[in-house]
Amino acid sequence: MIAKVIVDVPTSNTDRVFDYDIPKEWEEVIQPGVRVVVPFGPRKIQGFVVDVTNDSTFHKTKPIDDFLDVVPVLTSELLSLGEWLADQTLCFQLSAYQLMIPAALRTKVKKELCLLAHIETLPYSIRPHFQGDKSPLWNDLVKDKNVSLKEIQQAVKEGKLEVRYQVEEKGKKKMERYVKVSENTTCDIPTRAVKQRELLAYLQSLGKPIAVQALLQETKMTRQTITTLVKKGVLQEFDKEVYRDPLAGVEYERTLPLELTDQQRDVIQPILDTLETKSHYTFLLHGVTGSGKTEVYLQSIDKALEQKREAIVLVPEISLTPQMVQRFKGRFGSKVAVLHSGLSMGEKYDEWRKILRKEVQVVVGARSAIFAPFTNLGIIIIDEEHETSYKQEENPRYHARDVAIFRGKHHQCPVILGSATPSLESYARARKNVYRLLPLTERVHNRAMPEVHVVDMREELRSGNRSMFSYILLEKLKDRIEKGEQTVLFLNRRGYSTFVMCRDCGYVASCEHCDISLTYHRTQNSLKCHYCGHEEKMPTKCDSCGSEHIRFFGSGTQKVEEELTRVLPEAKVIRMDIDTTRRKGSHERLLSAFGRGEADILLGTQMIAKGLDFPKITLVGVLAADSMLHIPDFRSAERTFQLMEQVSGRAGRHDLKGEVIIQSYTPDHYSIELVKSHDYEQFFQMEMTQRKVGLYPPYVFMVLITISHSELTNVITVSEKVVSFLRRELFESTTVLGPVASPLARIKDRYRYQCMIKYRNEPRLLEALREIRQHFIREINQGDLQISIDLQPYLFT
Ligand SMILES: Nc1ncnc2c1ncn2[C@@H]1O[C@H](COP(=O)(O)OP(=O)(O)OP(=O)(O)O)[C@@H](O)[C@H]1O
Ligand SMILES: [Zn+2]
Ligand SMILES: [Zn+2]
């Protein structure tokens, strides 16, 4: 038998399958999805088996050296998904597979086998190894001539044994003390020792080992009683590994399905129908903030679980707050696994194992949770689908939405994209009926959308207010403190200090060719356009009104906090930013403190824009709404509107009415203006017009190619070759822009240039892009030249 193997050498000449002989005795074990060790030149390296066949096209094949997994770590679906991803994102197949397994498996680890069932259920040949609760090492086990690999594999498949990778995390491996009744106890316990007798009787009736802690709690006995019985040999104590539970000790209050509102019922029906008929559809659930999208998710998942199917829920990393997790744990309890970047390697591995072993049916996680190795998916949900964090900004540059749809088709199950402010791409697709649009236009129980005031900060300046708080915001802040209600103060950090603006008239320096704001480059004291390469000197006077108050913008949360304590000494403030949330768990602590009412004001950056649902928040303040508007990115208006709408949505979600104050230097810009009426539809129309004129997505597709090298002349030569090749190869209707220096023109002493492709229909695209890489393969393999290709980019550095 021949195994087709993707080897662990990430270069383009090795990015294909290699054939290896499967030694006779391993024929049963080696199957697609297991990792093996194979000879490769003079070395031994790891690889993924992707297929097993009878014949090889090669005459001489070398045998597989060893195998790392007893049961596959990748399902057949994930194997084909990896192939597809490699093709679509131009990454190595190997990289795609590595993305799908937990990091713990990628490190060199020993494997041990653990007994999960009663020892008597095991075949005779392997029993001796497990006597006395031992967990033999894999290597020792296979050395035993009496042991059949086939039998081990069978036992693993049946869930009697488990392969555990010894993830060494200093002091992290969690062991817990257990006790059990010794085998053939003969010791008599004196009749007067009532406690000891009681305890023994309890353990005997239990019939299985129990954690000492739990035993003490349940029986209210003393530790002494146990110790005495252990000394007498009646009981046995031992250590047992427990799951590293990131949420240990957290109790979740069970919640029951709510009675749906009429609108919720209307939107859930098509989802339930799709589940019922086991078919695939992509839905766009467009529901205003506070319209109860989560309840729709929960009840859809309920239906999938009823059908014995599984669910994946993706949420952006920053909204993986306890509040969000709680809603899923509260409804589905221990059926839920949670995956996010805050978990240690071991914790992630534990969660992944629960999925593989079918101990959980629901996964709530950030982007990479989309690869959860479920085999019977019933529904995939992507909450806040407009979030750009769903696109991975390094190789493989995949978008979770595309992966979700691939899996949805494979499993014939619905995919739900949910948002109050869908991405333009998704909304445009919904309008063309590529996705099915499900609208929730009102908040639950007719609660009002918050009232939004936009304050013109230029006016404030003119009337002598140089503080960062407008008069009206200050007044409302005081009012809320008096009433004992809460405020969320949002400072938009993204895009700071990069754009140049006039404080008198709000004029922002922008490119004359691109309609996009220029970026300030400190080193040359100049302004540059990142799209077309246009450059000009940093102005000393405003082009529009001649004022000298023209400068780049900047203000941090710390400064705001200082200012707050100065103008409102009585206010209790919780500040949430990168600095105050660095320690593990601090995010949660700060939020729950705010939830308990321990502060009047929650001050923060992007991380407080989402997911907050606290009844006492009645005011939201946004400082400098415009900061993001002038990032040189064609999506800056979209991002501004989305963010304003999301933060506004934190106010007045319960009985108390909400109000929002947005401070802006460009109050008339439609992305800010339209937040007042919460009019997504109107925003969509206006923004689409802009995109059409500027020839941007969703009207076209885009590719960003970034070329970098330590020699500037090389970068320029290669970039020019790339551009002329593309112009020659691609349709005339396709636009190839550049080459120009990248916004970050040099990173780590490497010079960077970029070019951009805009196209509508370009069947030769992927092939042409591959050819570019192939053409420069020598320089790339030598590590001098890098050519990064980003399809549908979100980041233009
Ligand atoms: N059918 C219902 N009956 C009563 N309350 C409901 C119902 N559906 C949702 N709610 C409540 O309404 C509030 C808002 O719902 P939810 O948080 O799901 O909104 P959302 O659409 O996800 O908003 P956002 O996009 O702002 O996060 C929550 O407190 C939720 O418990
Ligand atoms: Zn330009
Ligand atoms: Zn001006």
Side-chain angles (χ1 to χ4, degrees):
M1 297 285 275
I2 297 292
K4 307 265 178 197
V5 178
I6 295 283
V7 293
D8 192 353
V9 187
T11 62
S12 17
N13 12 16
T14 52
D15 188 30
R16 60 177 178 86
V17 291
F18 288 85
D19 288 4
Y20 287 94
D21 261 335
I22 303 177
K24 208 106 224 89
E25 66 272 27
W26 292 348
E27 276 186 357
E28 304 284 355
V29 188
I30 293 187
Q31 14 173 330
V34 305
R35 292 168 307 151
V36 289
V37 176
V38 293
F40 196 78
R43 295 182 296 152
K44 293 204 188 316
I45 58 169
Q46 289 192 15
F48 288 90
V49 175
V50 292
D51 200 6
V52 172
T53 60
N54 275 321
D55 48 22
S56 168
T57 41
F58 299 95
H59 290 304
K60 265 170 68 186
T61 48
K62 291 184 196 160
I64 287 176
D65 217 67
D66 199 358
F67 56 94
L68 298 171
D69 308 304
V70 189
V71 285
V73 290
L74 292 177
T75 62
S76 63
E77 180 210 354
L78 291 180
L79 284 171
S80 49
L81 173 59
E83 213 176 311
W84 177 82
L85 259 187
D87 188 56
Q88 295 294 307
T89 69
L90 302 169
C91 74
F92 302 129
Q93 215 167 320
L94 175 83
S95 320
Y97 292 143
Q98 279 181 336
L99 191 66
M100 299 174 182
I101 58 172
L105 293 190
R106 276 177 259 152
T107 58
K108 287 220 166 79
V109 286
K110 282 189 182 155
K111 289 193 298 285
E112 61 184 16
L113 280 151
C114 304
L115 187 58
L116 300 179
H118 201 281
I119 190 160
E120 316 241 301
T121 62
L122 290 180
Y124 285 108
S125 66
I126 49 180
R127 274 189 215 173
H129 291 274
F130 294 90
Q131 220 83 63
D133 275 310
K134 273 205 298 269
S135 302
L137 281 180
W138 171 259
N139 285 351
D140 297 338
L141 199 63
V142 292
K143 271 188 216 131
D144 183 346
K145 290 277 170 292
N146 299 321
V147 165
S148 133
L149 285 176
K150 178 85 179 111
E151 280 177 345
I152 299 178
Q153 192 182 28
Q154 194 56 36
V156 173
K157 276 195 185 148
E158 287 166 6
K160 295 172 186 165
L161 292 180
E162 187 193 26
V163 188
R164 238 171 245 180
Y165 300 82
Q166 293 180 333
V167 181
E168 305 278 350
E169 285 186 289
K170 277 166 248 116
K172 284 256 178 69
K173 188 165 179 176
K174 268 191 88 177
M175 305 298 275
E176 202 174 340
R177 206 76 183 140
Y178 268 68
V179 289
K180 64 174 183 181
V181 183
S182 305
E183 279 153 47
N184 43 51
T185 331
T186 50
C187 174
D188 287 322
I189 303 173
T191 344
R192 338 169 247 105
V194 187
K195 291 278 175 202
Q196 295 178 22
R197 282 173 162 272
E198 249 177 62
L199 190 72
L200 180 62
Y202 181 82
L203 274 169
Q204 275 166 336
S205 70
L206 203 63
K208 62 175 187 197
I210 178 172
V212 172
Q213 276 300 324
L215 180 64
L216 293 177
Q217 243 172 33
E218 280 167 33
T219 59
K220 305 272 178 269
M221 300 267 181
T222 60
R223 184 74 172 90
Q224 185 59 40
T225 319
I226 300 177
T227 313
T228 312
L229 285 173
V230 171
K231 277 199 191 123
K232 286 182 180 167
V234 178
L235 300 184
Q236 252 182 342
E237 272 188 65
F238 60 98
D239 288 322
K240 197 173 158 184
E241 193 205 335
V242 289
Y243 279 133
R244 288 151 281 224
D245 186 352
L247 302 164
V250 184
E251 295 270 330
Y252 292 97
E253 213 174 299
R254 276 312 275 249
T255 64
L256 292 170
L258 300 171
E259 173 148 5
L260 296 181
T261 63
D262 289 347
Q263 280 203 333
Q264 282 173 322
R265 218 170 314 195
D266 287 345
V267 299
I268 203 171
Q269 200 51 50
I271 300 172
L272 298 182
D273 292 345
T274 308
L275 275 160
E276 194 59 52
T277 54
K278 299 216 159 72
S279 43
H280 164 73
Y281 264 115
T282 302
F283 295 98
L284 178 61
L285 178 59
H286 176 210
V288 297
T289 56
S291 58
K293 294 185 285 293
T294 315
E295 189 60 32
V296 174
Y297 301 153
L298 290 170
Q299 296 197 19
S300 306
I301 294 171
D302 229 350
K303 167 91 181 177
L305 297 185
E306 241 170 61
Q307 296 179 311
K308 302 267 175 281
R309 295 163 88 190
E310 299 133 344
I312 296 177
V313 184
L314 295 190
V315 299
E317 188 73 61
I318 49 174
S319 42
L320 264 172
T321 56
Q323 250 201 334
M324 194 66 185
V325 170
Q326 200 171 353
R327 292 168 105 173
F328 288 89
K329 284 257 181 182
R331 193 67 57 90
F332 305 114
S334 58
K335 290 189 179 129
V336 181
V338 179
L339 286 168
H340 60 87
S341 68
L343 301 183
S344 71
M345 192 164 83
E347 286 168 343
K348 276 186 197 154
Y349 170 52
D350 287 345
E351 297 297 291
W352 181 81
R353 265 191 306 171
K354 288 187 203 161
I355 302 167
L356 208 62
R357 280 162 47 174
K358 307 214 177 299
E359 290 177 0
V360 293
Q361 287 74 43
V362 181
V363 167
V364 181
R367 182 179 61 226
S368 64
I370 194 63
F371 298 111
F374 282 132
T375 50
N376 191 20
L377 268 174
I379 191 165
I380 303 173
I381 292 162
I382 303 187
D383 191 30
E384 313 285 1
E385 74 89 33
H386 60 278
E387 274 291 310
T388 51
S389 63
Y390 287 126
K391 169 85 184 283
Q392 174 155 300
E393 291 300 350
E394 58 188 61
N395 262 323
R397 296 172 186 272
Y398 72 95
H399 199 299
R401 194 196 294 139
D402 302 330
V403 177
I405 293 171
F406 178 99
R407 299 197 73 179
K409 282 183 188 150
H410 179 94
H411 291 275
Q412 285 297 301
C413 75
V415 172
I416 301 173
L417 312 174
S419 175
T421 51
S423 63
L424 250 70
E425 284 88 342
S426 293
Y427 202 72
R429 264 172 227 158
R431 292 189 127 209
K432 285 171 139 184
N433 289 323
V434 180
Y435 301 158
R436 286 177 66 177
L437 187 63
L438 306 173
L440 286 172
T441 55
E442 272 156 27
R443 282 188 161 180
V444 176
H445 300 321
N446 303 320
R447 281 173 197 142
M449 290 298 283
E451 192 182 328
V452 179
H453 316 266
V454 177
V455 182
D456 186 342
M457 290 305 275
R458 297 167 301 187
E459 289 289 340
E460 290 283 317
L461 196 67
R462 265 176 230 138
S463 59
N465 181 6
R466 299 204 155 256
S467 126
M468 53 178 91
F469 309 111
S470 57
Y471 294 128
I472 178 168
L473 179 56
L474 201 58
E475 189 184 299
K476 301 238 179 240
L477 276 168
K478 282 183 189 153
D479 171 67
R480 297 303 133 90
I481 295 172
E482 267 162 33
K483 288 195 199 138
E485 295 173 7
Q486 293 182 306
T487 301
V488 168
L489 256 192
F490 178 77
L491 177 70
N492 201 350
R493 276 291 301 158
R494 239 180 267 163
Y496 260 107
S497 303
T498 52
F499 71 96
V500 168
M501 188 175 77
C502 170
R503 285 200 67 167
D504 283 325
C505 75
Y507 162 84
V508 170
S510 57
C511 177
E512 56 196 73
H513 310 292
C514 304
D515 240 355
I516 245 157
S517 51
L518 293 166
T519 299
Y520 176 67
H521 284 243
R522 183 165 314 202
T523 39
Q524 294 114 337
N525 196 35
S526 68
L527 299 176
K528 272 189 198 163
C529 169
H530 291 167
Y531 283 83
C532 72
H534 170 82
E535 184 174 346
E536 55 192 65
K537 280 215 77 60
M538 167 72 190
T540 49
K541 268 193 271 173
C542 172
D543 262 1
S544 169
C545 75
S547 156
E548 283 171 6
H549 289 135
I550 185 153
R551 52 192 58 131
F552 46 95
F553 243 52
S555 170
T557 39
Q558 218 164 344
K559 224 172 119 197
V560 178
E561 192 183 17
E562 283 165 23
E563 180 82 2
L564 262 180
T565 26
R566 205 178 53 78
V567 296
L568 287 172
E570 71 275 28
K572 280 178 282 180
V573 181
I574 291 181
R575 190 180 108 216
M576 255 179 83
D577 56 22
I578 309 166
D579 294 327
T580 63
T581 56
R582 202 162 280 147
R583 288 240 316 281
K584 200 176 170 178
S586 44
H587 193 161
E588 287 84 335
R589 249 193 326 279
L590 292 175
L591 277 184
S592 51
F594 188 67
R596 286 192 302 272
E598 287 171 23
D600 308 301
I601 299 172
L602 179 65
L603 165 66
T605 50
Q606 257 71 359
M607 62 178 79
I608 61 168
K610 320 201 146 60
L612 294 186
D613 187 20
F614 294 122
K616 285 190 129 182
I617 303 176
T618 59
L619 178 64
V620 167
V622 181
L623 306 168
D626 334 64
S627 63
M628 213 162 42
L629 203 50
H630 309 301
I631 295 179
D633 182 330
F634 69 88
R635 288 191 181 89
S636 63
E638 181 183 355
R639 298 231 178 111
T640 301
F641 179 79
Q642 283 165 344
L643 199 58
M644 292 307 110
E645 201 48 49
Q646 296 286 349
V647 255
S648 305
R650 302 310 109 208
R653 292 167 73 87
H654 295 254
D655 296 334
L656 299 169
K657 226 174 128 342
E659 248 182 324
V660 182
I661 308 285
I662 295 180
Q663 299 189 166
S664 168
Y665 287 91
T666 42
D668 309 325
H669 193 280
Y670 61 98
S671 66
I672 291 169
E673 172 78 27
L674 286 171
V675 178
K676 282 198 245 171
S677 46
H678 305 287
D679 196 344
Y680 177 86
E681 191 70 32
Q682 177 72 17
F683 173 77
F684 175 80
Q685 303 284 2
M686 306 214 32
E687 184 63 13
M688 282 300 268
T689 316
Q690 298 291 321
R691 302 285 176 93
K692 193 170 187 177
V693 172
L695 211 63
Y696 287 116
Y699 281 99
V700 292
F701 296 107
M702 254 171 138
V703 184
L704 176 71
I705 304 178
T706 306
I707 294 135
S708 71
H709 193 280
S710 54
E711 299 285 337
L712 182 59
T713 46
N714 276 342
V715 184
I716 296 172
T717 322
V718 173
S719 318
E720 274 164 1
K721 275 190 193 159
V722 166
V723 167
S724 54
F725 171 79
L726 288 171
R727 292 213 171 108
R728 213 165 47 236
E729 289 296 307
L730 301 180
F731 286 156
E732 228 167 275
S733 57
T734 297
T735 314
V736 182
L737 293 170
V740 292
S742 300
L744 279 163
R746 193 170 61 152
I747 300 180
K748 288 183 186 160
D749 285 322
R750 297 176 66 91
Y751 293 91
R752 306 169 79 240
Y753 261 64
Q754 66 181 29
C755 68
M756 195 113 60
I757 309 172
K758 292 178 176 181
Y759 64 98
R760 264 184 232 267
N761 175 27
E762 193 57 78
R764 277 246 318 130
L765 181 76
L766 291 176
E767 210 183 316
L769 293 173
R770 264 186 221 105
E771 268 174 50
I772 291 176
R773 278 232 184 103
Q774 203 54 38
H775 184 81
F776 293 103
I777 193 155
R778 229 192 44 239
E779 293 94 315
I780 292 176
N781 283 349
Q782 283 165 355
D784 299 335
L785 180 70
Q786 276 174 16
I787 299 184
S788 111
I789 299 175
D790 192 358
L791 288 107
Q792 319 324 327
Y794 285 86
L795 210 86
F796 299 91
T797 52

mmCIF file of all heavy atoms in Angstrom, residues 502-507 542-547 549-550, ligand 3:
data_model
loop_
_atom_site.group_PDB
_atom_site.id
_atom_site.type_symbol
_atom_site.label_atom_id
_atom_site.label_comp_id
_atom_site.label_asym_id
_atom_site.label_seq_id
_atom_site.Cartn_x
_atom_site.Cartn_y
_atom_site.Cartn_z
ATOM 1 N N CYS A 502 -7.069 70.111 9.759
ATOM 2 C CA CYS A 502 -7.128 71.485 10.229
ATOM 3 C C CYS A 502 -8.146 71.581 11.360
ATOM 4 O O CYS A 502 -9.291 71.186 11.209
ATOM 5 C CB CYS A 502 -7.543 72.411 9.088
ATOM 6 S SG CYS A 502 -7.907 74.082 9.638
ATOM 7 N N ARG A 503 -7.726 72.083 12.493
ATOM 8 C CA ARG A 503 -8.643 72.167 13.635
ATOM 9 C C ARG A 503 -9.655 73.282 13.490
ATOM 10 O O ARG A 503 -10.630 73.344 14.218
ATOM 11 C CB ARG A 503 -7.845 72.356 14.942
ATOM 12 C CG ARG A 503 -7.186 71.064 15.385
ATOM 13 C CD ARG A 503 -6.827 71.109 16.839
ATOM 14 N NE ARG A 503 -8.019 71.157 17.696
ATOM 15 C CZ ARG A 503 -7.989 70.956 19.001
ATOM 16 N NH1 ARG A 503 -6.851 70.705 19.593
ATOM 17 N NH2 ARG A 503 -9.081 71.029 19.713
ATOM 18 N N ASP A 504 -9.407 74.192 12.564
ATOM 19 C CA ASP A 504 -10.364 75.284 12.397
ATOM 20 C C ASP A 504 -11.480 74.945 11.434
ATOM 21 O O ASP A 504 -12.633 75.294 11.670
ATOM 22 C CB ASP A 504 -9.639 76.551 11.923
ATOM 23 C CG ASP A 504 -8.915 77.205 13.088
ATOM 24 O OD1 ASP A 504 -9.460 77.136 14.219
ATOM 25 O OD2 ASP A 504 -7.819 77.747 12.889
ATOM 26 N N CYS A 505 -11.151 74.287 10.344
ATOM 27 C CA CYS A 505 -12.209 74.024 9.374
ATOM 28 C C CYS A 505 -12.475 72.546 9.128
ATOM 29 O O CYS A 505 -13.402 72.190 8.407
ATOM 30 C CB CYS A 505 -11.918 74.742 8.046
ATOM 31 S SG CYS A 505 -10.639 73.959 7.066
ATOM 32 N N GLY A 506 -11.673 71.673 9.715
ATOM 33 C CA GLY A 506 -11.926 70.247 9.551
ATOM 34 C C GLY A 506 -11.372 69.676 8.259
ATOM 35 O O GLY A 506 -11.550 68.497 7.970
ATOM 36 N N TYR A 507 -10.668 70.511 7.494
ATOM 37 C CA TYR A 507 -10.087 70.049 6.241
ATOM 38 C C TYR A 507 -9.060 68.949 6.515
ATOM 39 O O TYR A 507 -8.262 69.042 7.444
ATOM 40 C CB TYR A 507 -9.419 71.228 5.523
ATOM 41 C CG TYR A 507 -8.427 70.831 4.455
ATOM 42 C CD1 TYR A 507 -8.862 70.526 3.162
ATOM 43 C CD2 TYR A 507 -7.060 70.761 4.729
ATOM 44 C CE1 TYR A 507 -7.963 70.149 2.185
ATOM 45 C CE2 TYR A 507 -6.152 70.391 3.764
ATOM 46 C CZ TYR A 507 -6.604 70.075 2.496
ATOM 47 O OH TYR A 507 -5.717 69.710 1.542
ATOM 48 N N CYS A 542 -3.334 75.484 6.342
ATOM 49 C CA CYS A 542 -4.449 74.736 5.783
ATOM 50 C C CYS A 542 -4.698 75.169 4.344
ATOM 51 O O CYS A 542 -4.800 76.361 4.060
ATOM 52 C CB CYS A 542 -5.703 74.973 6.611
ATOM 53 S SG CYS A 542 -7.180 74.285 5.881
ATOM 54 N N ASP A 543 -4.799 74.218 3.448
ATOM 55 C CA ASP A 543 -5.058 74.484 2.044
ATOM 56 C C ASP A 543 -6.402 75.153 1.834
ATOM 57 O O ASP A 543 -6.622 75.870 0.870
ATOM 58 C CB ASP A 543 -5.090 73.153 1.268
ATOM 59 C CG ASP A 543 -3.766 72.898 0.593
ATOM 60 O OD1 ASP A 543 -2.866 73.743 0.752
ATOM 61 O OD2 ASP A 543 -3.632 71.853 -0.074
ATOM 62 N N SER A 544 -7.303 74.878 2.734
ATOM 63 C CA SER A 544 -8.664 75.305 2.536
ATOM 64 C C SER A 544 -8.956 76.666 3.167
ATOM 65 O O SER A 544 -9.549 77.533 2.536
ATOM 66 C CB SER A 544 -9.581 74.224 3.101
ATOM 67 O OG SER A 544 -10.888 74.683 3.156
ATOM 68 N N CYS A 545 -8.491 76.899 4.415
ATOM 69 C CA CYS A 545 -8.832 78.156 5.063
ATOM 70 C C CYS A 545 -7.608 78.971 5.474
ATOM 71 O O CYS A 545 -7.750 80.078 5.987
ATOM 72 C CB CYS A 545 -9.719 77.909 6.292
ATOM 73 S SG CYS A 545 -8.810 77.252 7.703
ATOM 74 N N GLY A 546 -6.433 78.426 5.261
ATOM 75 C CA GLY A 546 -5.221 79.178 5.562
ATOM 76 C C GLY A 546 -4.811 79.184 7.020
ATOM 77 O O GLY A 546 -3.787 79.749 7.379
ATOM 78 N N SER A 547 -5.585 78.541 7.857
ATOM 79 C CA SER A 547 -5.248 78.520 9.282
ATOM 80 C C SER A 547 -3.945 77.760 9.529
ATOM 81 O O SER A 547 -3.580 76.856 8.776
ATOM 82 C CB SER A 547 -6.385 77.851 10.056
ATOM 83 O OG SER A 547 -5.909 77.318 11.262
ATOM 84 N N HIS A 549 -3.558 76.140 12.350
ATOM 85 C CA HIS A 549 -3.907 75.038 13.266
ATOM 86 C C HIS A 549 -4.039 73.715 12.528
ATOM 87 O O HIS A 549 -5.020 72.990 12.697
ATOM 88 C CB HIS A 549 -5.226 75.328 13.991
ATOM 89 C CG HIS A 549 -5.091 76.415 15.000
ATOM 90 N ND1 HIS A 549 -6.009 77.414 15.108
ATOM 91 C CD2 HIS A 549 -4.152 76.650 15.925
ATOM 92 C CE1 HIS A 549 -5.634 78.247 16.074
ATOM 93 N NE2 HIS A 549 -4.503 77.790 16.581
ATOM 94 N N ILE A 550 -3.065 73.405 11.713
ATOM 95 C CA ILE A 550 -3.155 72.132 10.996
ATOM 96 C C ILE A 550 -2.123 71.176 11.585
ATOM 97 O O ILE A 550 -0.966 71.518 11.746
ATOM 98 C CB ILE A 550 -2.986 72.335 9.478
ATOM 99 C CG1 ILE A 550 -3.221 71.005 8.756
ATOM 100 C CG2 ILE A 550 -1.631 72.949 9.095
ATOM 101 C CD1 ILE A 550 -3.708 71.179 7.337
HETATM 102 ZN ZN ZN B 3 -8.649 74.928 7.548
#
